[in-house]
Amino acid sequence: EKRAIIESVCNSRQIQRAGNFSVAAIDVLKMDQLNSAIAKFNPNKSVTIICEGLLQYLSKHELSNVTENIKSILHKFGGIWI
C-alpha cells in the first residue's frame, strides 16, 4: 500500500523519483532480509534508513537487534538512520 501512495503522490505532483529510491517491506530483525533489500545498492553511496512507526512496538531485545542490524548496514554504506 505504501508503494501505491508514493506513486500516487509522485504522479499527482509530477515528481520524478531518483533511481536510488527504494521501499522495502521486510523484517528488520532478520539480517538476511535486510541484505536482500540492499543487494542492489551502490556501496559507494550512502543510505538513509527510515523505520517509520516501527520502533515503539519492539521489545528492548528486538530494538537491540534492529540497532545492530542497522549499524551493520551503515558501517557498509555510510549514511543516516532516521
Side-chain angles (χ1 to χ4, degrees):
E1 183 177 314
K2 190 168 285 206
R3 285 185 183 103
I5 293 169
I6 292 168
E7 286 297 324
S8 175
V9 169
C10 288
N11 290 337
S12 69
R13 298 174 191 249
Q14 298 179 342
I15 299 170
Q16 292 197 1
R17 293 190 325 210
N20 60 349
F21 178 82
S22 178
V23 175
I26 59 168
D27 184 341
V28 294
L29 296 171
K30 298 182 179 175
M31 195 63 200
D32 62 323
Q33 288 187 25
L34 283 165
N35 283 329
S36 177
I38 65 172
K40 64 182 177 185
F41 289 4
N42 181 339
N44 297 317
K45 294 194 175 197
S46 61
V47 298
T48 300
I49 299 171
I50 303 171
C51 299
E52 184 179 350
L54 168 69
L55 303 180
Q56 64 186 340
Y57 299 104
L58 300 179
S59 68
K60 288 183 181 183
H61 175 72
E62 290 170 325
L63 186 55
S64 177
N65 189 356
V66 168
T67 301
E68 288 303 313
N69 289 346
I70 300 296
K71 184 176 160 184
S72 173
I73 293 170
L74 293 176
H75 180 71
K76 180 176 182 178
F77 291 96
I80 59 171
W81 178 20
I82 300 173

